[in-house]
Amino acid sequence: MAGQSVGGRNYNFKCVLLGEGCVGKTSLVLRYVENKFNDKHITTLQASFLNKKLNIGGKRVNISIWDTAGQERFHALGPIYYRDSNGAILVYDITDEDSFQKVKNWVKELRRMLGQDVCLCIVGNKVDLEKDRHVTVAEAEEYAASVGARHFHTSAKLNRGIEELFLDLSKNMITKADDNTSKKSSSLGSGAGSRRSVIVVDDEQPTQKSGGCC
Amino acid sequence: MEQSFMKVMRGIGEALKLDDEQNHQAAYIQYVECILSIASNLLQNVRSNGDKVLVTAYVEKQIMLGKQCMDRISTLFHEFNNEAEIKNGNELEKSGGISRFAAPVPPLHIQPSSSSFSLKRNLSPTEIAYRQNQSLMRAYKARLATMSKNNPMAANLSLTVQRKLAENLAIANAQERAVSFVYENISWYCKLSEKMKETQRRLDEQAARRFMSPIGMSEEEQEQRQIYKKILEYEQQAKWLLEWRIKLSNSPKDQVVISQLVTQILRCEDHPLTKLLMKYQYKIYEKLYPLVSTKMATVNEICVPLPESFHPKRRPVLEESCDSKKKNNGNDKEDCDKDNDKEDSDKDNDKQDSDKLDQDKDNGKQSSVNDKQGSECLRDKNDESCIVSDIVNITVNDSKNREYSEQFVNIECKNNVENFTEQTITDLKTAVDQNAKLTEQLSMDNKKIYTSVRSMSREFESYSEENMDDLFDDDNNDVESLAGNKELDKIEFNLQRQDSEAYVVLSSNDVDSSSKFRDNLYKFRRPSEIARVRTMSEEAYVRHLKGVSQDIHHALEKLLVMFSIGYEELGSAEGQDQCYASIEEPFFKPIWKYLLNIFRLSNKTEETALAYCMTIKQGDLPESYGVSRKLCLVSDVEGTLPFQSAINEIRRLKDHYTMLSKLECVVNVCRLICECVENFYTTKQIQDGEISSTPCVGADDLLPILTYVVVKSGLPQLLSECQAMAEFIHEGYIMGEEGYCLTSVQTAISFLSSQEIQNK
């Protein structure tokens, strides 16, 4: 047991999926986790909450992806979903200017509520419909850079750009988590109790993490 | 003389017999009869001697006997009293909100499960012998009492008894020796006890070792050490627990072993850890009970279908004496008329704004919130008990209120005036004037209430005095009216003290005085006050809830620490998690009913809104919640609804007692929703013979469907249940699917309740 955890630690991340209805949030994440696209798969599953386990450079990462409802009427109730998130994926439809505006609103809100601790990824989905594009690449990427977010183009239908998106986000979250831990340990010194140190190497990472956010 | 004495003796003998048979009621009567005949004997004695007291042995004996009888009945009486108190408490719980006794906290009923037991030490032979001898002595005395002293049989009897006593002791000693021989192979009992002392010392040392530094230990550490010692001691007697210890150290991360061990420990009622759990539990219960016991009925009124009296009124008719209020009312009415008229909405908004301003100016923020809820409160108009109880609270809260309003008036004035247009400024000026009037009125009312309560208490006192004779006849009555007096004093005291969260409880046993009290208070029933009181009391419940939640967290944490001290292996992360899961049920089950109620009391406004929403939407189908068309299932079975299985599952939520099983239930609801979709499409595919794709349920659909399911459940208490879950669930679950499902259900609930509150 001890031999395994030498060098690597377990990461547990919460990642929230935001975006207007019909931009393809659910398809995107389903494609990633189950490699299924809405057109083909037959069984229904709980597509609103998904877990993905990754191994990045010997680090074991578990991402919990929280889908949110895009309808405007649920907007006010968003904070309860994204509190304690490590990452957020903000999806818009490249054929829909409005959905990009929505993303901008979300970014503002997330930065206000969660500060700089959250890794943001802005995602232009449906690049298979390039000919109907209404949001230009330059505009989107410029905006993303201005708010300190990454930008990706994806197509859930063609399974394009999705792996890259999640890999990049995971790496970002790991860096942030490591930063936070080192900051914490330097500020706290070696004062952490014996039980806490057990947790750091083990599964209980999230508890520590979430504490660090606030 | 002698004859009457014999009669008394016989009577006493009978009483003793009844007493031995545990027939306390009959024994009590018999004793009292004996006292009566003794008294009449003595009186007769004195009278027959020309009113002179004769000092004779008989007289002395009778006085002694009378005294003993008196002692015995006083003990019996206390026993009855205790029983009565327990019964009283139970009745109180049933009767609910109307009566407001100074509720004694009845013992917490923990249904002993068939598996629980306690490890009682068997009595040693000497102890048994001692007890036997005691009863022998009692019998001897009783028999001796029935005989006259001159009787030669008396000496004889005394000898027999003495012989028997000695015999008993001798047998016991022999037994003791034999037992100690068998058990420990040591022939002298004293050696056994020495060995026990040695074990004690060893345990002490062991406990000391476990807690590294014996010097400078905090009180808490010392307490922990004590408990650890007790655990080890207990294991000396219950060897099978040692086997569990070995099992645990063999597989320290085995979840099954951990949960079994914890269950085993908590099954022993007298295990130190179980005792600790019950101690914490009782502390919390003691806090909860007085808060909720009288309010159970009020909470239960919030249900689906919601009683008419709770429905929000679109056209509030406020009984206001003040002119300005009437003007406001007019505006309110207009607002309501035009509520659905979108064209006029701008104009309306302006008006509403100015209304709001007026009210803000009125009595500071506090009262403005309250005023807005005035309408809501009026619907309780017919509910006498509710209003009475609320008004009782006024007396408590008013003093505090005055402070609030003064503060806020000052702040509001300074901050806002400059920022508004001329129009608003004039509005404000009139509002300030109105405010002055209102404040005056308020303070006058406060005075009135103050004096009314004072006069009330005076009336009550005089009433008690007038009726003193009656009260003395009935012991119970007397006690209660005294309690009532005390409570009234308390009100006065609180009014003077100006800050008060004290629980004012009134005895309404005395119907006469309580109705007087009610009449007096009705004179001051003003909707705004009732509303203010309501908000204040809800706020108070929120504060109480916060305290109780903290206590619970604290208790659970301490228990976990103690378990991991007792069993080192439980200190690991897995151990702690599993341990927490196993403690949950025994901890929450007995107090859950009360805990839920304090949550519900603090969420009363939201829950009422939710219940109203549920009531008016009962007939709606998924379509009306914005569920996408392909997911609006149609039920093909007669009498069932779409997503029936999920609805059934969520209704079961209230039957679970632990946070974990509740959480599981919530996850099941979400899963069942997906299952329903899948089943629906599978059947459809079979029927249609074509392979169409089954839509997946993302959050865009899950939330509206959940909203529908929540409405169909008809349980407004879901709001509080979810809040409790979020509060007490182990944080490890918050990240996972469990946390997600809980968040979704919570969102659906707050969507419903907030919608209703906004509409208002």
Side-chain angles (χ1 to χ4, degrees), chain B residues 286-305:
Chain B
E286 254 181 338
K287 237 185 180 181
L288 278 174
Y289 186 83
L291 290 175
V292 297
S293 61
T294 52
K295 293 280 190 179
M296 296 276 201
T298 341
V299 169
N300 289 335
E301 274 173 13
I302 303 169
C303 57
V304 174

Side-chain angles (χ1 to χ4, degrees), chain B residues 429-547:
Chain B
K429 273 177 187 160
T430 49
V432 171
D433 291 340
Q434 286 163 3
N435 173 41
K437 271 185 217 161
L438 271 173
T439 327
E440 217 173 289
Q441 178 123 9
L442 180 71
S443 58
M444 262 168 66
D445 278 357
N446 281 337
K447 261 182 218 158
K448 268 189 216 162
I449 287 171
Y450 180 75
T451 45
S452 103
V453 173
R454 283 195 82 126
S455 70
M456 219 4 258
S457 87
R458 242 175 270 132
E459 265 171 48
F460 197 95
E461 265 165 43
S462 61
Y463 174 80
S464 304
E465 271 163 27
E466 280 164 23
N467 294 278
M468 213 49 121
D469 293 340
D470 295 342
L471 293 172
F472 264 112
D473 286 342
D474 189 341
D475 283 318
N476 250 339
N477 236 344
D478 189 23
V479 169
E480 256 156 35
S481 80
L482 273 176
N485 263 342
K486 263 186 207 154
E487 296 301 344
L488 282 169
D489 287 347
K490 218 192 215 167
I491 299 179
E492 270 186 287
F493 177 67
N494 282 337
L495 278 168
Q496 282 157 5
R497 271 207 23 206
Q498 296 259 329
D499 68 323
S500 40
E501 255 187 77
Y503 217 65
V504 179
V505 199
L506 286 178
S507 158
S508 56
N509 196 31
D510 216 314
V511 183
D512 226 33
S513 66
S514 92
S515 67
K516 264 188 215 164
F517 187 42
R518 197 174 298 186
D519 290 344
N520 267 342
L521 285 175
Y522 263 133
K523 288 179 197 157
F524 309 105
R525 189 189 57 193
R526 294 232 345 242
S528 63
E529 270 160 12
I530 296 169
R532 187 165 56 242
V533 163
R534 177 159 301 197
T535 333
M536 299 289 275
S537 73
E538 221 163 279
E539 277 168 7
Y541 277 119
V542 172
R543 278 197 299 276
H544 279 304
L545 178 62
K546 222 170 157 189

Side-chain angles (χ1 to χ4, degrees), chain B residues 641-652 669 672 708-710 712-713:
Chain B
L641 299 160
F643 300 104
Q644 182 73 53
S645 59
I647 296 168
N648 291 345
E649 182 69 24
I650 206 167
R651 278 180 188 157
R652 256 173 252 140
V669 170
L672 280 169
Y708 157 79
V709 170
V710 166
K712 282 288 179 197
S713 78

Side-chain angles (χ1 to χ4, degrees), chain A residues 42 44 67 70-71 73 81 207, chain B residues 625 694 699-700 731 740 744:
Chain A
I42 294 170
T44 324
D67 194 7
Q71 292 95 324
R73 61 179 189 279
Y81 273 100
T207 32
Chain B
Y625 298 91
T694 307
D700 286 346
E731 44 187 19
Y740 182 80
S744 300

Side-chain angles (χ1 to χ4, degrees), chain A residues 32-123:
Chain A
Y32 178 62
V33 178
E34 302 283 325
N35 202 16
K36 278 173 183 159
F37 186 70
N38 204 358
D39 284 348
K40 286 163 205 155
H41 82 266
I42 294 170
T43 53
T44 324
L45 37 76
Q46 168 76 292
S48 47
F49 174 84
L50 291 159
N51 246 317
K52 178 84 175 180
K53 287 188 164 65
L54 293 173
N55 195 326
I56 301 172
K59 289 167 177 170
R60 277 178 296 165
V61 180
N62 181 30
I63 313 180
S64 310
I65 303 164
W66 288 40
D67 194 7
T68 63
Q71 292 95 324
E72 188 58 43
R73 61 179 189 279
F74 293 119
H75 184 97
L77 307 159
I80 182 176
Y81 273 100
Y82 57 69
R83 64 165 179 221
D84 294 342
S85 292
N86 307 93
I89 299 171
L90 303 125
V91 190
Y92 68 93
D93 180 349
I94 61 160
T95 66
D96 181 359
E97 173 67 35
D98 268 1
S99 70
F100 188 62
Q101 284 307 321
K102 278 272 155 55
V103 164
K104 286 182 175 174
N105 293 343
W106 278 116
V107 169
K108 267 186 223 145
E109 194 173 325
L110 285 173
R111 284 288 182 226
R112 196 178 68 237
M113 307 294 285
L114 300 175
Q116 294 299 317
D117 274 338
V118 64
C119 301
L120 300 184
C121 259
I122 297 174
V123 177

